[in-house]
Amino acid sequence: MLSTNKKILISGCGFSWSGQERITWVKILKLLSNSIVDVGGPAVSNQFIINNIVEELFKNNYEYVVVQLTSVGKLDVEIKTEL
């Protein structure tokens, strides 16, 4: 069981993403005074979830890492703003 005051890295899809209005398990971990870095997002693919975890782990150290993958077969779309 996770305790309080821990540095936790999380990546997932909309089921866990803390940037939404709904209560998620990530928001509950924040209520326990944990330092949460959430690199997930809404409607994202497993490739996005994993890439963000790996990139963040190269930059910083964490006590815990939680990866919540989304459903299999989800379409992965990359959007670029430049032409």
Side-chain angles (χ1 to χ4, degrees):
M1 175 167 207
L2 296 176
S3 58
T4 60
N5 299 315
K6 300 293 182 186
K7 187 174 179 185
I8 305 170
L9 173 62
I10 294 173
S11 186
C13 68
F15 291 118
S16 62
W17 182 55
S18 62
Q20 63 180 299
E21 290 183 27
R22 293 183 179 185
I23 295 174
T24 64
W25 56 268
V26 177
K27 289 184 178 183
I28 293 170
L29 288 176
K30 284 184 178 184
L31 290 174
L32 296 172
S33 300
N34 291 297
S35 173
I36 304 289
V37 174
D38 185 353
V39 294
V44 296
S45 68
N46 286 334
Q47 191 64 52
F48 177 91
I49 293 166
I50 293 168
N51 286 350
N52 284 355
I53 282 285
V54 171
E55 288 178 13
E56 183 62 26
L57 285 173
F58 275 112
K59 297 178 199 172
N60 297 296
N61 294 320
Y62 293 88
E63 293 176 80
Y64 293 100
V65 177
V66 181
V67 180
Q68 177 262 306
L69 297 176
T70 189
S71 63
V72 177
K74 191 167 190 175
L75 180 61
D76 189 4
V77 178
E78 182 178 351
I79 300 174
K80 294 185 177 183
T81 56
E82 70 268 357
L83 296 174

